[in-house]
Amino acid sequence: MTPKDYLLKPRKRHKNFMDSAASGPYKRRLKELRDNIRSTLGLRAGGVDFIGPLGAYVGESHQAARYTDNEVLQCIDLRLAGFSLNEISKKMEIPKRTVRDFFAGRIRGKHPVKFVKAMINE
């Protein structure tokens, strides 16, 4: 088989992973992550910061956080609606690798275990 023949060979891939049968556990994990973030939104409006299990701030409270919890929720909702990572990245103006890390739980995947009153800088 020549390289040209290999390139012309039809590929057996799903057009979109979210439409495949294998996406069930992935969708469940995204829904769980979405529910966890949503459960803390009311507390955040009340001026509460979140501390993770290792004692560091998590979510919007983290000093290096660039995106709000609402932006992360929008990304998750778009993914569950069937949008690709590239489409979400362009629509939300967030790098594709960051969007991927949201969904993998590497960013915003930590759950708060302690709540502290937010410090207001005036």
Side-chain angles (χ1 to χ4, degrees), residues 13-97:
R13 291 186 189 168
H14 293 285
K15 185 173 182 179
N16 188 346
F17 172 72
M18 295 301 286
D19 295 334
S20 72
S23 68
Y26 180 71
K27 285 181 182 178
R28 279 193 299 277
R29 190 175 72 235
L30 284 179
K31 288 177 183 177
E32 180 184 333
L33 180 61
R34 180 185 63 188
D35 293 341
N36 286 336
I37 293 173
R38 279 187 182 160
S39 69
T40 62
L41 286 178
L43 291 172
R44 177 151 330 273
V48 175
D49 283 340
F50 307 118
I51 308 292
L54 298 178
Y57 287 98
V58 295
E60 283 182 31
S61 304
H62 193 275
Q63 65 272 14
R66 293 187 185 135
Y67 306 105
T68 65
D69 287 339
N70 286 324
E71 289 173 324
V72 175
L73 285 174
Q74 287 176 348
C75 289
I76 293 171
D77 289 337
L78 289 171
R79 185 64 172 156
L80 288 171
F83 285 82
S84 69
L85 293 178
N86 202 26
E87 292 168 335
I88 296 169
S89 173
K90 288 179 182 175
K91 185 176 182 92
M92 298 296 296
E93 297 178 357
I94 298 175
K96 185 166 56 171
R97 300 297 181 221

